[in-house]
Amino acid sequence: MKFSESWLREWVNPAISSEQLCDQLTMAGLEVDDIEDVAGDFSGVVVGRVVECHQHPNADKLRVTKVDIGQDQLLNIVCGAPNCREGLTVACATVGAVLPGDFKIKAAKLRGEPSEGMLCSYSELAISDDHNGIIELPEDAPLGEDIRNYLQLNDKMIEISVTPNRADCFGIMGIARDISSINNISLTVPQFETPKVTIEDKISVSVLEPKAAPRYLARIIKGIDVTTPTPLWLKEKLRRSGIRSIDIVVDITNYVLIELGHPMHAFDLDKIEGGITVRYGHPHEKLVLLDGNEIEIKANTLVIADDKKALALAGIFGGKDSGISNESKNILLESAFFSPLAIAGKARQYGLHTDASHRYERGVDPSLQYKAMERATELLLAICGGSAGPIIDATNTDELPEPAIIHLSRAKIDRLIGYHIDDQRIVDILTRLGCEVISNENSWQIKAPTWRFDIQIEEDLVEEIARIYGYNNIPNEHLNIELVMQHNSEKNVSVNKFKNLLVNQGYQEAVTYSFVDPKIQSLLHPNQEAIVLPNPISSEMSVMRLSLWSGLLGAVVYNQNRQQQRIRLFETGLRFVPDNNSEFGVNQQTLLAGVITGNQYEEHWDIKKRAVDFFDLKGDVESLLAISGLADQVQFKPSQHPALHPGQNAAIYINNEEVGYLGVIHPEIEKKLGLNGKTLVFELILDKINQKSVPVAQDISKYPANRRDIAIIVDSDVCAADVLSVCKSIGGEQLIAVNLFDMYQGENIKAGQKSLAISLILQDKTRTLEDEDITHIVSNCIVALQNRFKALLRE
């Protein structure tokens, strides 16, 4: 945001220097990026009038003039500017004047004619780069007055960085509010007359998307003179705000843009066919923009249209076919409130970024449309003439944002700021910022202003109070810190334990973005809805992640493209799942995820090369679960995860609750992502695995343990884990361990079957088990397996 200091001081004029003013802006959160003079360093330049202008007798491109600067004698000055003419009011550098660059004006002869000064252009006074002709001043400019005083050139151009939450400071009015509050002085709002309605002409306005455009105002103005030159004072204010003059209608809408911070647009009324409709774009609909480029309007873009065609991209850019030209006589003036979410990111879809879209994306004041319309109308009628019709109002009040009503307590202010600010100063700060304040005992009820979308909770108000009061005015105090031992259950397992284990197994920790490419995420989670960011950094980072795999797989591709083949990465972080039942519409879960690819071991002369497989990753996951003592409760079951290879993946369950997945990335997805070779991933919900059972001391049996091995034949689709689970449930406390030590398919085993060899370890704490006890337990296990799986005991 760029503006002139003198314009700001028309609204609020504290008795401080330019440097102090800039310091106040920076401390208030509106960081000053640059401050520069509006003109170069010069002296001796006054207002003059060309009373005679003749062709130079000895030069085709020079003219001999006589210039009146309000003194007894006229000055003879030779000028080569193409726009030099009799009657023109000019900037005249007299003999002895010093121009920028230490250029001194002396009396001289040019091609034989005396010259007692110089008629100056904007570039020669270092006001702008315009060197096409000499400066043309208004006819009523007082002759002989110093041009610095007349044009207020002892002024500064200030450029500030406006944070996304302070859209109200994209106008002089918003900046002035802050300066008024900081200096505790009144705000002087420039007064203007409400224009009279002298015609009854209207146009039908239909808003088909009230959620995207809750308020749309329009007004017909007829009989204006578009060729009227823009007044110098208006041109200068725009120039000092970094905006070039185009034509009087555009200049006035830009003036309102900088003054009030509200974008406006004007259409040529005679080019509109029928009424105005605010709608989304139609399929294959095209529009030629004001810059001459033709675009195809996307279905998610709000447009202003008439009965036959689109006229403009709402809140972004106007169309050429309905734009103002020198032949325009009648215009339709637009002043609207568009929802920030309806405009956010749309301009970038077309490679555009305009002053209007920049403001609408961040949010304009939904109560400012009438004021902006009346202000622009008043300027148009005063400068261009014409007749104004009534304001056409299409407002859906139900869709307009409601200002927050917040309870603010004295205790909260004192606690967060750590300093006591007087009640009256607090009320004064909030009132000058535009809040409605109702005082209670040790508290206030605050209604936030309509232009402050960022004030929603009590802490926001405390921040405003501290910001305006001045952080530098709050004295430094030593903090009284009371150290309190935090409660930490022995059941909790620190995430660092999981991280350290993975690091010891050769993994490296990665940190990736929480917002990811929707195309990649749709490959991994094709049937899941994601949260779309309203204002993304780029289209490749426009949705919130549903898992950590999107970022980790991207990191694998990045490393493989740099000749890294053996990769082991892990990450902990949040995933964001849409949930309409939650308070904020999102369910956040902390995950622990990892990815491996390449060889099992680093290259070594004594180790045979072997690519990682499913069981390598499964072993790493089991090691993680063992930290929490959950290894005996874990079940790995076949899953149908769309991102994983069928038959080479598993869902992970603990006590019949799903806690994650592991497996090989599906070959088609590997190809689409550009992965080089087999890639395996796992993901665990951290909150489901970070609680462990507290160890309980038990006596160690002093009696011998006995081992019995059995081999059973079952169908190939029987899961070995289920077989072991049945044995554990039947064996009771005396069966202290069950282990699968062999699996065989081949000769002497029928097709579709397999042989499982299982060891049973039995022990009692009170006595030595007899053969009868051992045989009874083993027999019970065999019977249970026969009943459950139709298992056959292998001889």
Side-chain angles (χ1 to χ4, degrees):
M1 172 67 182
K2 193 174 186 179
F3 60 92
S4 76
E5 180 183 348
S6 62
W7 195 358
L8 176 62
R9 288 185 182 272
E10 291 177 14
W11 286 75
V12 58
N13 191 15
I16 57 177
S17 66
S18 300
E19 290 73 19
Q20 290 172 316
L21 178 65
C22 291
D23 287 342
Q24 286 187 354
L25 288 170
T26 297
M27 290 303 296
L30 304 174
E31 183 180 359
V32 174
D33 288 336
D34 191 24
I35 178 170
E36 57 181 309
D37 296 328
V38 300
D41 185 15
F42 64 86
S43 62
V45 182
V46 298
V47 176
R49 180 173 291 114
V50 179
V51 295
E52 293 183 20
C53 184
H54 305 290
Q55 183 66 43
H56 194 293
N58 302 317
D60 294 337
K61 293 185 179 181
L62 297 179
R63 291 175 177 81
V64 179
T65 67
K66 289 187 179 296
V67 180
D68 182 5
I69 60 171
Q71 297 181 357
D72 295 338
Q73 292 184 342
L74 301 178
L75 300 180
N76 295 308
I77 297 178
V78 177
C79 179
N83 64 328
C84 183
R85 61 188 183 275
E86 186 176 316
L88 185 65
T89 306
V90 296
C92 177
T94 59
V95 174
V98 179
L99 301 188
D102 200 27
F103 179 68
K104 297 178 181 179
I105 302 299
K106 300 177 182 177
K109 282 190 176 183
L110 297 177
R111 297 287 183 94
E113 293 293 326
S115 184
E116 302 170 304
M118 174 179 171
L119 304 185
C120 302
S121 67
Y122 283 107
S123 63
E124 287 163 338
L125 299 183
I127 295 175
S128 73
D129 296 331
D130 184 2
H131 56 271
N132 294 324
I134 57 177
I135 298 172
E136 298 187 20
L137 299 175
E139 292 183 1
D140 59 355
L143 299 182
E145 182 172 353
D146 192 314
I147 201 74
R148 295 194 75 91
N149 296 330
Y150 179 70
L151 293 180
Q152 297 182 4
L153 297 180
N154 296 317
D155 189 12
K156 305 286 186 183
M157 290 184 291
I158 300 173
E159 187 169 4
I160 61 173
S161 292
V162 180
T163 53
N165 66 311
R166 292 304 308 277
D168 59 304
C169 289
F170 280 115
I172 296 290
M173 182 169 62
I175 301 169
R177 284 195 203 101
D178 275 11
I179 296 300
S180 167
S181 300
I182 293 168
N183 293 280
N184 202 19
I185 59 176
S186 299
L187 189 68
T188 304
V189 179
Q191 300 299 314
F192 61 90
E193 294 184 4
T194 301
K196 293 181 180 180
V197 175
T198 55
I199 59 175
E200 297 301 321
D201 296 60
K202 292 185 177 181
I203 190 171
S204 67
V205 175
S206 175
V207 179
L208 303 183
E209 302 294 338
K211 196 174 188 67
R215 173 169 284 154
Y216 189 89
L217 306 185
R219 165 177 268 168
I220 291 174
I221 303 177
K222 287 192 167 182
I224 66 170
D225 184 3
V226 177
T227 61
T228 302
T230 300
L232 182 62
W233 64 267
L234 200 158
K235 271 187 178 181
E236 273 297 287
K237 285 190 173 180
L238 292 180
R239 181 186 71 80
R240 298 176 195 187
S241 301
I243 298 177
R244 66 183 181 88
S245 175
I246 298 175
D247 61 56
I248 185 59
V249 177
V250 175
D251 289 351
I252 286 173
T253 56
N254 282 335
Y255 180 87
V256 175
L257 177 80
I258 300 299
E259 182 182 51
L260 303 180
H262 194 287
M264 299 187 70
H265 188 67
F267 301 96
D268 189 324
L269 180 65
D270 298 325
K271 297 177 182 177
I272 297 175
E273 302 176 84
I276 291 292
T277 302
V278 184
R279 58 170 173 80
Y280 281 111
H282 292 157
H284 310 298
E285 189 173 23
K286 294 187 177 180
L287 175 66
V288 178
L289 301 174
L290 284 170
D291 61 4
N293 291 323
E294 184 180 62
I295 62 168
E296 183 171 317
I297 301 172
K298 300 181 185 297
N300 65 352
T301 304
L302 198 67
V303 299
I304 312 300
D306 61 17
D307 292 348
K308 294 188 177 180
K309 61 186 179 299
L311 303 175
L313 300 179
I316 300 175
F317 213 8
K320 186 175 183 180
D321 294 339
S322 62
I324 304 298
S325 65
N326 289 337
E327 291 74 35
S328 299
K329 297 293 182 184
N330 309 311
I331 67 170
L332 179 70
L333 202 58
E334 166 195 283
S335 179
F337 172 74
F338 300 117
S339 168
L341 292 180
I343 306 300
K346 304 302 186 296
R348 284 186 288 276
Q349 294 181 152
Y350 306 98
L352 299 172
H353 182 77
T354 64
D355 289 332
S357 67
H358 195 69
R359 286 161 172 80
Y360 275 123
E361 285 179 342
R362 287 152 179 79
V364 300
D365 182 359
S367 67
L368 192 58
Q369 288 70 48
Y370 268 93
K371 186 172 185 176
M373 178 67 81
E374 298 285 32
R375 179 60 162 157
T377 303
E378 184 255 350
L379 290 170
L380 280 167
L381 297 181
I383 299 172
C384 307
S387 303
I391 294 178
I392 306 148
D393 186 354
T395 299
N396 188 313
T397 54
D398 294 337
E399 298 295 344
L400 287 171
E402 288 288 336
I405 297 176
I406 307 164
H407 175 80
L408 176 63
S409 68
R410 160 57 71 181
K412 175 75 79 169
I413 299 172
D414 291 348
R415 183 173 66 82
L416 293 183
I417 296 180
Y419 178 70
H420 184 87
I421 301 174
D422 291 341
D423 289 1
Q424 186 55 46
R425 181 65 175 130
I426 290 172
V427 172
D428 189 70
I429 287 173
L430 295 176
T431 302
R432 291 187 187 281
L433 288 176
C435 298
E436 296 179 17
V437 182
I438 299 176
S439 298
N440 301 311
E441 185 177 355
N442 293 322
S443 67
W444 297 268
Q445 181 172 300
I446 310 296
K447 183 177 182 181
T450 54
W451 54 85
R452 290 300 299 273
F453 297 94
D454 59 322
I455 297 180
Q456 296 292 327
I457 59 177
E458 195 173 8
E459 286 77 4
D460 294 333
L461 291 170
V462 177
E463 180 185 4
E464 289 300 296
I465 294 168
R467 182 177 69 89
I468 297 300
Y469 186 81
Y471 296 111
N472 52 332
N473 293 323
I474 299 173
N476 295 327
E477 297 285 350
H478 291 293
L479 294 177
N480 182 21
I481 302 176
E482 296 182 1
L483 298 178
V484 178
M485 185 69 72
Q486 296 293 319
H487 174 73
N488 185 29
S489 174
E490 190 178 351
K491 292 182 178 181
N492 296 334
V493 180
S494 169
V495 67
N496 286 331
K497 288 190 175 182
F498 297 115
K499 290 183 177 183
N500 289 337
L501 184 142
L502 290 172
V503 169
N504 291 335
Q505 291 180 333
Y507 287 75
Q508 291 180 308
E509 184 172 10
V511 179
T512 65
Y513 285 105
S514 297
F515 19 90
V516 297
D517 191 333
K519 295 179 182 178
I520 293 177
Q521 184 148 275
S522 64
L523 289 175
L524 301 174
H525 308 279
N527 301 318
Q528 274 190 271
E529 179 187 358
I531 297 173
V532 180
L533 295 173
N535 192 18
I537 296 174
S538 67
S539 59
E540 290 78 21
M541 305 174 77
S542 59
V543 298
M544 301 303 292
R545 64 188 179 192
L546 295 169
S547 77
L548 306 185
W549 289 348
S550 301
L552 286 174
L553 292 174
V556 170
V557 173
Y558 181 90
N559 281 277
Q560 287 180 340
N561 290 340
R562 286 154 181 80
Q563 288 78 49
Q564 300 298 315
Q565 300 304 320
R566 185 177 185 272
I567 300 168
R568 279 163 166 70
L569 299 174
F570 77 90
E571 181 178 12
T572 57
L574 292 173
R575 72 172 172 187
F576 307 87
V577 181
D579 184 359
N580 295 329
N581 297 323
S582 66
E583 181 180 358
F584 299 104
V586 58
N587 179 22
Q588 301 183 60
Q589 289 182 316
T590 305
L591 303 179
L592 169 62
V595 57
I596 62 174
T597 187
N599 291 328
Q600 182 188 19
Y601 301 107
E602 294 283 3
E603 190 172 12
H604 190 274
W605 65 271
D606 195 35
I607 300 177
K608 186 177 180 181
K609 283 187 178 180
R610 180 178 70 81
V612 291
D613 60 21
F614 175 85
F615 295 102
D616 293 321
L617 186 65
K618 181 172 178 285
D620 292 341
V621 172
E622 287 176 328
S623 298
L624 287 171
L625 299 174
I627 292 177
S628 301
L630 299 173
D632 293 338
Q633 304 170 32
V634 176
Q635 290 179 299
F636 296 89
K637 298 181 180 181
S639 75
Q640 301 297 323
H641 197 292
L644 302 178
H645 195 303
Q648 297 187 48
N649 71 85
I652 306 169
Y653 289 83
I654 296 176
N655 295 328
N656 296 320
E657 182 181 10
E658 187 177 278
V659 299
Y661 290 92
L662 80 155
V664 180
I665 292 293
H666 196 288
E668 291 184 2
I669 295 178
E670 278 185 3
K671 184 177 180 181
K672 292 178 180 178
L673 294 180
L675 292 166
N676 182 16
K678 181 185 289 188
T679 306
L680 298 97
V681 293
F682 75 85
E683 191 167 67
L684 298 166
I685 302 173
L686 202 55
D687 291 342
K688 304 291 185 182
I689 65 170
N690 63 356
Q691 296 288 316
K692 66 179 180 180
S693 299
V694 178
V696 177
Q698 297 182 11
D699 291 336
I700 298 175
S701 177
K702 61 183 179 180
Y703 301 99
N706 296 272
R707 170 172 172 157
R708 294 291 186 271
D709 295 339
I710 60 173
I712 59 172
I713 298 174
V714 295
D715 292 339
S716 297
D717 58 356
V718 173
C719 182
D722 293 338
V723 172
L724 300 181
S725 178
V726 168
C727 292
K728 291 176 183 178
S729 63
I730 296 298
E733 293 183 358
Q734 293 175 333
L735 182 61
I736 62 173
V738 181
N739 182 48
L740 174 70
F741 65 87
D742 187 38
M743 192 278 289
Y744 173 73
Q745 287 177 298
E747 189 177 351
N748 299 325
I749 302 296
K750 294 181 180 179
Q753 292 185 326
K754 61 185 176 182
S755 170
L756 302 178
I758 303 169
S759 65
L760 306 175
I761 309 297
L762 300 102
Q763 187 179 39
D764 195 284
K765 294 181 180 180
T766 59
R767 62 189 179 89
T768 301
L769 291 176
E770 302 289 343
D771 286 342
E772 293 181 2
D773 299 324
I774 298 171
T775 302
H776 177 71
I777 294 173
V778 173
S779 298
N780 287 342
C781 290
I782 293 172
V783 170
L785 295 175
Q786 290 173 340
N787 294 335
R788 174 76 181 275
F789 306 110
K790 298 181 179 178
L792 298 176
L793 190 63
R794 185 179 175 191
E795 297 297 336

